Amino acid sequence: MKVILASPRGFCAGVNMAIECLDLALKSFGAPVYVYHEIVHNKYVVETFKEKGAIFVDDLEEVPPESILLFSAHGVSPEIRQAAKARKLTAIDATCPLVTKVHLEAIKFAKLGYTICLIGHEGHDEVIGTMGEAPEAIVLVETEEDVAQLEVADPTKLAYLTQTTLSVDDATRIINCLKARFPEIKGPPKADICYATQNRQEAVRLLGTEAQLVLVLGSQNSSNSQRLKELAKESGIPGYLIDGKSDIQPEWFEGVDTVLVTAGASAPEVVVEECLDYLVERFQATVETRAIRQEEVHFPLPKELRKLVSIT
């Protein structure tokens, strides 16, 4: 068996920054450090941090007053920031800067009196946070059918934004629908879907043509990882989203000569390596890394964390 190992894969700059924030907070302040929602959508990462003393909460009432609190990479609404302040929590904002960009665009369009179509998945942490910036101005759009049923007061004051982890193809289809129905609709100056999401999707699109099966390392609640699996299936190739080697079913590989292995933006390299070891041991696989482009993006730690750490 031949394994094509896609590159780029795995952690993006935003995930790296968020993980570095939580790691540094635990080392500097000691356990417990509270985190609002999962730091990133990955089971392995979350379980590893739980063992180190991180406590993940979905309600700030669970956080004792004056504790250290980290906001996850997906961002939060102003309401959550205010609630943290009211509880006298020391808040560290590990929101990905590319998510912050979408928040700022939402604020700008809302102040100008626009209705904003937010293209995204209902209930996703990132969508909840973005909609919280201007709830009276934002309408969630998930499908082309939603566009057909959309009613707006003034079609000349309409804008769209997108969740950063969507399928590029799906988002493009919905944006084209919006533009066809509302020709005057405005978009962000630069596309909202993040560079890492696009690069990992491009790798599956280009390299998947050489494979008979695609393994995507990532958790089920990871939006960008789900899109990679869906992209493989849309190309007519069986695709499986797995947390690690224990999820692999040997029968998947019957009659398979070539496997493409990739990882979502929140999946650590250690789970990729464990899967590769399994494939080499079980199927005597040879592994070939194929890079479609280089990534050199890095985000600095948040100012408030740098300031806190320099004090301690």
Side-chain angles (χ1 to χ4, degrees):
M1 181 190 289
K2 177 182 175 183
V3 173
I4 300 172
L5 182 59
S7 178
R9 65 182 175 278
F11 284 177
C12 60
V15 166
N16 266 325
M17 185 268 285
I19 286 173
E20 204 178 331
C21 281
L22 184 49
D23 222 13
L24 187 55
L26 283 163
K27 285 173 184 169
S28 301
F29 310 116
V33 169
Y34 292 84
V35 186
Y36 186 66
H37 296 322
E38 293 185 350
I39 183 69
V40 297
H41 287 158
N42 184 268
K43 186 178 172 184
Y44 181 96
V45 171
V46 169
E47 290 304 320
T48 300
F49 274 119
K50 278 182 182 176
E51 290 168 10
K52 292 180 179 179
I55 298 175
F56 298 93
V57 300
D58 291 321
D59 187 338
L60 293 191
E61 292 293 322
E62 300 173 54
V63 184
E66 301 183 11
S67 299
I68 301 284
L69 174 72
L70 210 77
F71 296 137
S72 79
H74 308 104
V76 296
S77 66
E79 185 183 1
I80 297 300
R81 294 180 192 279
Q82 283 303 117
K85 193 176 281 188
R87 290 185 75 77
K88 297 181 178 175
L89 304 176
T90 300
I92 298 164
D93 189 359
T95 302
C96 171
L98 300 179
V99 174
T100 300
K101 165 185 171 287
V102 180
H103 281 226
L104 295 174
E105 288 163 350
I107 294 165
K108 181 192 76 174
F109 279 127
K111 281 182 177 174
L112 293 171
Y114 280 76
T115 297
I116 302 159
C117 298
L118 177 61
I119 304 167
H121 299 300
E122 187 175 9
H124 190 279
D125 291 342
E126 183 186 328
V127 167
I128 293 167
T130 303
M131 292 188 78
E133 293 289 1
E136 72 295 334
I138 299 178
V139 180
L140 183 64
V141 174
E142 294 193 84
T143 64
E144 293 164 72
E145 288 72 30
D146 289 346
V147 176
Q149 294 167 15
L150 197 59
E151 292 182 16
V152 294
D154 184 356
T156 66
K157 298 280 279 186
L158 191 62
Y160 72 84
L161 300 171
T162 74
Q163 182 181 327
T164 62
T165 55
L166 296 179
S167 153
V168 175
D169 293 341
D170 289 349
T172 300
R173 278 194 292 270
I174 294 170
I175 291 166
N176 288 341
C177 274
L178 283 167
K179 287 179 175 176
R181 185 153 180 230
F182 305 103
E184 293 183 62
I185 193 168
K186 288 186 168 52
K190 189 180 176 190
D192 290 329
I193 295 178
C194 96
Y195 76 94
T197 298
Q198 294 185 55
N199 289 348
R200 281 146 193 71
Q201 289 177 19
E202 185 185 14
V204 170
R205 195 178 286 110
L206 292 175
L207 302 174
T209 57
E210 302 176 39
Q212 295 147 304
L213 183 140
V214 177
L215 288 182
V216 180
L217 275 298
S219 292
Q220 297 300 320
N221 63 339
S222 165
S223 176
N224 77 89
S225 301
Q226 286 283 1
R227 302 293 82 75
L228 295 175
K229 179 192 78 173
E230 289 169 6
L231 193 57
K233 290 190 171 180
E234 284 168 14
S235 305
I237 308 159
Y240 298 97
L241 176 58
I242 58 174
D243 269 300
K245 69 175 183 180
S246 60
D247 293 335
I248 294 175
Q249 305 293 320
E251 58 267 25
W252 293 345
F253 303 94
E254 289 174 12
V256 170
D257 297 321
T258 307
V259 178
L260 175 63
V261 174
T262 187
S266 49
E269 187 65 11
V270 62
V271 297
V272 177
E273 289 170 357
E274 286 173 359
C275 281
L276 293 176
D277 289 344
Y278 170 87
L279 294 175
V280 169
E281 189 178 326
R282 178 73 189 248
F283 301 104
Q284 292 74 54
T286 57
V287 181
E288 177 192 350
T289 301
R290 297 274 291 280
I292 61 144
R293 63 180 67 248
Q294 298 299 314
E295 286 182 353
E296 295 174 355
V297 181
H298 174 76
F299 296 138
L301 293 174
K303 270 189 292 190
E304 63 268 30
L305 180 59
R306 295 201 302 268
K307 193 183 292 183
L308 283 167
V309 170
S310 68
I311 292 168
T312 58

